[in-house]
Amino acid sequence: MAVGKEILTWYEGAWHEGSAPIITASDHAAWLGSTVFDGARQFEGVRPDLDLHSARIIRSAEAMGMIPPVDAATVQGLMEEGCARFGVDRVLYLRPMMWSRDSAPGIIDVVPENTGFSICIEALDMPAPGGFSLTVSPFCRPRPDMAVTEAKAGALYANNARIMADARKRGFSNALSLDVEGFVAETASTNVFMVRDGVVFTPVPNGMFLNGITRQRIIGLLRADGVEVIEASLTLEDFESAEEIFVTGNIAKVMPVARYKDRDMGAPRMGQRARDLYWDYALSGGETVEAVRKSAGAL
Ligand code: PMP
């Protein structure tokens, strides 16, 4: 099943209309969950940080013990080609995927050289800010010695899916989840920021959540704009006293939290500033990349 209605699939050297079949019954991924993926966007004629998303899927595949069958430049070039087929004016979700193919019953390690590769491009609007709500999840995030957290692996999303499902069942859009040490990690699908006294705080990367590309970009953009951004171990108590909360991720880029638990969060001043900075950055074609890199010190 697809999220969007219009889909284009790259598989085995050709573009296919629609959601093409790519995994067979004996593929390692089909029963042992070795998929890795990344997510990028085209909107308003730009594809911000496509190079970083292309590089990350290579790192994810390698973290899972797979040898990527193509390099980052090829992933990026193909995504650009697929976007051109849709048209530069379309709002798109770009998802490269790799997975392990050969498998042998009784042997569960991957065959490094036998890695599948596909790109799925779907038409998908940008979600509008305004109604995004957040609760706290009863489910927490594993340490790197408990799961392959350094990969953007499909297998990790079994946990994220139940975080999301539980939040939705309780009437929220998403939920904060804690790491196993009790600090706030991220939501089921985004990184998280909070604001107190004009200072922006976000969890410090500790291997228990994805150090997102949008997260790093926003940290750099805010700092370059003169905002103090502190990466720290944050507790739920910190979020109780937050004046504002916003989340970042590829799908919506920056999304202010309108309601946190039973609290109406009011006007998202910093969230809107971060959103405006991101759009300025994206629409400028990334010309400020070097300045942002310097200031983030992270990318
Ligand atoms: N955390 C999780 C669990 C995610 O799925 C995503 C979306 N990829 C993010 C954070 C944000 O990462 P990025 O900004 O790199 O898209």
Side-chain angles (χ1 to χ4, degrees):
M1 273 298 283
V3 178
K5 289 196 173 65
E6 290 173 80
I7 297 181
L8 194 58
T9 310
W10 170 266
Y11 183 53
E12 305 227 307
W15 289 103
H16 307 268
E17 290 292 334
S19 177
I22 56 169
I23 291 179
T24 68
S26 65
D27 274 10
H28 187 281
W31 63 300
L32 293 171
S34 53
T35 58
V36 295
F37 70 102
D38 218 282
R41 277 297 217 167
Q42 171 176 283
F43 62 97
E44 298 179 42
V46 293
R47 297 184 280 270
D49 293 329
L50 195 60
D51 54 343
L52 299 177
H53 289 286
S54 305
R56 187 168 64 182
I57 191 171
I58 301 294
R59 291 200 303 276
S60 291
E62 288 170 349
M64 296 283 282
M66 299 186 266
I67 297 175
V70 291
D71 62 12
T74 305
V75 176
Q76 180 172 348
L78 285 169
M79 288 202 280
E80 283 163 352
E81 197 180 296
C83 287
R85 284 179 172 245
F86 266 98
V88 77
D89 54 321
R90 302 298 307 276
V91 183
L92 302 173
Y93 175 64
L94 323 174
R95 186 176 63 247
M97 297 170 285
M98 293 183 188
W99 66 96
S100 188
R101 305 188 101 161
D102 284 344
S103 64
I107 300 174
I108 61 166
D109 45 334
V110 306
V111 178
E113 302 76 19
N114 205 268
T115 306
F117 168 56
S118 176
I119 295 172
C120 182
I121 302 185
E122 308 192 24
L124 183 71
D125 287 344
M126 296 296 268
F132 188 80
S133 59
L134 207 55
T135 184
V136 175
S137 181
F139 305 115
C140 69
R141 308 301 302 271
R143 276 195 318 253
D145 59 348
M146 298 169 164
V148 190
T149 59
E150 61 271 39
K152 191 163 165 58
L156 297 174
Y157 283 77
N159 194 31
N160 296 29
R162 65 179 181 161
I163 291 169
M164 183 77 99
D166 169 75
R168 285 185 193 270
K169 207 164 63 192
R170 293 191 280 123
F172 291 89
S173 316
N174 210 324
L176 289 180
S177 58
L178 304 183
D179 64 30
V180 289
E181 283 160 15
F183 295 110
V184 172
E186 59 178 358
T187 78
S189 57
T190 67
N191 293 116
V192 67
F193 291 72
M194 52 159 271
V195 186
R196 208 167 44 203
D197 298 330
V199 177
V200 174
F201 296 85
T202 192
V204 61
N206 59 5
M208 289 187 260
F209 64 86
L210 187 72
N211 182 5
I213 289 167
T214 322
R215 172 192 179 280
Q216 295 178 59
R217 180 64 63 207
I218 287 296
I219 291 173
L221 289 168
L222 284 171
R223 284 182 181 159
D225 203 43
V227 177
E228 187 179 357
V229 183
I230 298 177
E231 298 176 85
S233 299
L234 300 173
T235 62
L236 286 177
E237 225 169 30
D238 291 313
F239 278 78
E240 285 306 317
S241 60
E243 290 144 18
E244 237 187 87
I245 304 172
F246 60 90
V247 299
T248 64
N250 171 63
I251 290 276
K253 302 305 181 188
V254 183
M255 177 61 74
V257 174
R259 180 167 59 103
Y260 176 56
K261 300 202 293 187
D262 56 2
R263 183 154 63 103
D264 184 346
M265 296 303 288
R269 288 186 10 239
M270 190 65 80
Q272 188 59 46
R273 182 166 172 184
R275 212 175 141 82
D276 291 346
L277 285 169
Y278 190 90
W279 255 258
D280 284 353
Y281 159 73
L283 300 186
S284 75
E287 277 156 28
T288 57
V289 168
E290 282 319 313
V292 167
R293 275 205 174 117
K294 248 188 232 159
S295 123
L299 289 172

